[in-house]
Amino acid sequence: MSEHSAVSDPKTAHIQHHFVDSDQQFDSAKLGMWIFLVTEILFFGGLFAAYIVYRAWYPDLYLQASAELDTFWGAVNTAVLIGSSLTVAMAIRSAQLNQIKGLIYNLYITIGLAFVFMVIKFFEYTHKFDKGIFPGEYYTYEGIAHEKANIFFSIYYMMTGVHGLHVTIGIGLMIWLVYKAKKGVYHSGYYTPVEITGLYWHLVDIIWIFLFPLLYLID
Amino acid sequence: MSGHHISSAKFLWTIGAALFVLTVITVAVTWIHIPGPWNVVVAILVALVKATIVALFFMNLYWDDKFNLMLLFLSIAFFILMIGITLLDTLYRDDPIPSF
């Protein structure tokens, strides 16, 4: 009964019956993740479209309103996310080399960096709320001499808010990965959830790479 | 194709350092005040370089099945299509500014 011995072997226990082998299952999972990332790119694409249309209509508004955003903290957050992408890549490398402790440590650092990102974002948001910079009709700030100033911040809150939601989901996913890794689920022959969560995390990083210059660096 | 490419730690740190340097560059170019619209063009170009580096070497598309790279290109193509068709409308309206 070779089939039964294959199922009980911890190195192959992850293989679902409808896949030929571990590699086919791994590549299928990755293909599925890439198709999801395509929908994510087009989902954020709608927000970028709104950004581009309004920037074409009100170039002066973007110039003035962007001055309210703190370039320093935007740059710090960019560095934080790049660092977290590096630690996710290191986590995947650890899993590939069967270094489960390294995998868990790198996931911890990534989770920590993601929290740093969200804490900085929290202080950026509350700083604006204190001034009355709210999205849409709730906007009460009078420091920007442009009648459509609320539009820039509606776009700002939507883009960074949806991005922040993705970071928060990423934190949840990585806590789940740590939990599974501690139970000994992952090894060099099976680390698919680490790999595809990594792909997700890198996409969240890429989106911030575009958001940072487009929102903060308009001079 | 190899879905299991293992990068060396040194290589990953080099990629991370390159991304960090490019972040410094994208901030630094705003200090020299390139006249518009070239400031936007430079900012987008640097962001595109950074995104390409992440996609190729962190997301492993460089070593991966080329089908996944094609999916990424398709999403970019459809994104450009969406922007293009939207701008064909919004840039050429008789009354370009809506009331909201």
Side-chain angles (χ1 to χ4, degrees):
Chain A
M1 300 297 275
S2 60
E3 279 179 33
H4 283 109
S5 63
V7 168
S8 59
D9 182 355
K11 291 285 174 207
T12 54
H14 61 277
I15 302 175
Q16 302 287 319
H17 67 90
H18 46 276
F19 288 111
V20 174
D21 56 21
S22 187
D23 273 354
Q24 192 201 22
Q25 179 171 321
F26 178 79
D27 287 334
S28 303
K30 244 167 108 167
L31 171 62
M33 193 62 194
W34 270 105
I35 291 171
F36 171 68
L37 295 187
V38 166
T39 71
E40 286 280 86
I41 289 168
L42 291 172
F43 168 62
F44 276 97
L47 295 171
F48 280 101
Y51 174 97
I52 292 168
V53 166
Y54 277 96
R55 185 158 180 180
W57 277 341
Y58 307 111
D60 293 345
L61 162 66
Y62 278 63
L63 206 59
Q64 294 173 37
S66 168
E68 287 295 323
L69 305 182
D70 195 324
T71 305
F72 174 75
W73 288 112
V76 168
N77 259 351
T78 309
V80 166
L81 273 197
I82 286 170
S84 74
S85 261
L86 173 62
T87 55
V88 160
M90 293 295 283
I92 293 168
R93 175 183 148 77
S94 299
Q96 289 169 323
L97 297 175
N98 232 356
Q99 298 164 348
I100 303 309
K101 264 192 177 172
L103 164 65
I104 292 170
Y105 286 146
N106 276 302
L107 286 173
Y108 275 145
I109 300 170
T110 311
I111 293 166
L113 289 170
F115 268 110
V116 169
F117 180 91
M118 290 309 288
V119 166
I120 291 175
K121 211 82 214 110
F122 170 81
F123 282 113
E124 283 189 273
Y125 272 23
T126 49
H127 180 66
K128 286 181 193 65
F129 292 161
D130 289 344
K131 286 179 168 180
I133 300 177
F134 290 100
E137 60 179 305
Y138 304 103
Y139 183 89
T140 54
Y141 183 55
E142 289 177 347
I144 300 170
H146 198 293
E147 55 171 338
K148 304 283 187 189
N150 60 340
I151 287 178
F152 176 86
F153 289 101
S154 296
I155 291 169
Y156 165 82
Y157 282 122
M158 270 312 282
M159 295 186 99
T160 59
V162 172
H163 178 267
L165 180 68
H166 279 77
V167 173
T168 311
I169 292 169
I171 291 172
L173 288 172
M174 282 182 287
I175 290 172
W176 169 67
L177 288 180
V178 167
Y179 171 76
K180 287 283 194 182
K182 283 189 169 176
K183 285 178 74 176
V185 172
Y186 305 128
H187 51 83
S188 57
Y190 175 67
Y191 58 91
T192 310
V194 185
E195 172 85 16
I196 63 175
T197 304
L199 288 177
Y200 169 87
W201 192 254
H202 292 311
L203 187 84
V204 172
D205 183 23
I206 285 178
I207 287 164
W208 183 261
I209 283 173
F210 285 99
L211 287 182
F212 171 55
L214 287 177
L215 292 170
Y216 291 77
L217 295 180
I218 308 168
D219 64 330
Chain B
M1 119 196 169
S2 165
H4 294 284
H5 177 83
I6 304 178
S7 300
S8 74
K10 192 183 165 192
F11 178 78
L12 292 176
W13 277 93
T14 308
I15 295 301
L19 291 169
F20 186 77
V21 169
L22 284 167
T23 303
V24 173
I25 288 174
T26 199
V27 176
V29 290
T30 62
W31 297 334
I32 56 174
H33 290 288
I34 302 169
W38 296 105
N39 50 2
V40 187
V41 173
V42 170
I44 294 294
L45 280 181
V46 176
L48 277 174
V49 171
K50 287 168 73 180
T52 306
I53 290 173
V54 172
L56 287 182
F57 303 119
F58 275 171
M59 299 171 96
N60 279 353
L61 280 177
Y62 185 78
W63 300 279
D64 205 359
D65 188 344
K66 291 291 172 276
F67 194 85
N68 292 339
L69 185 64
M70 185 202 73
L71 286 176
L72 177 61
F73 279 135
L74 276 180
S75 73
I76 296 167
F78 277 94
F79 171 67
I80 292 170
L81 194 65
M82 172 164 67
I83 300 294
I85 292 174
T86 306
L87 287 178
L88 281 178
D89 169 6
T90 60
L91 284 182
Y92 300 101
R93 289 185 184 180
D94 289 336
D95 180 18
I97 311 297
S99 57
F100 54 86

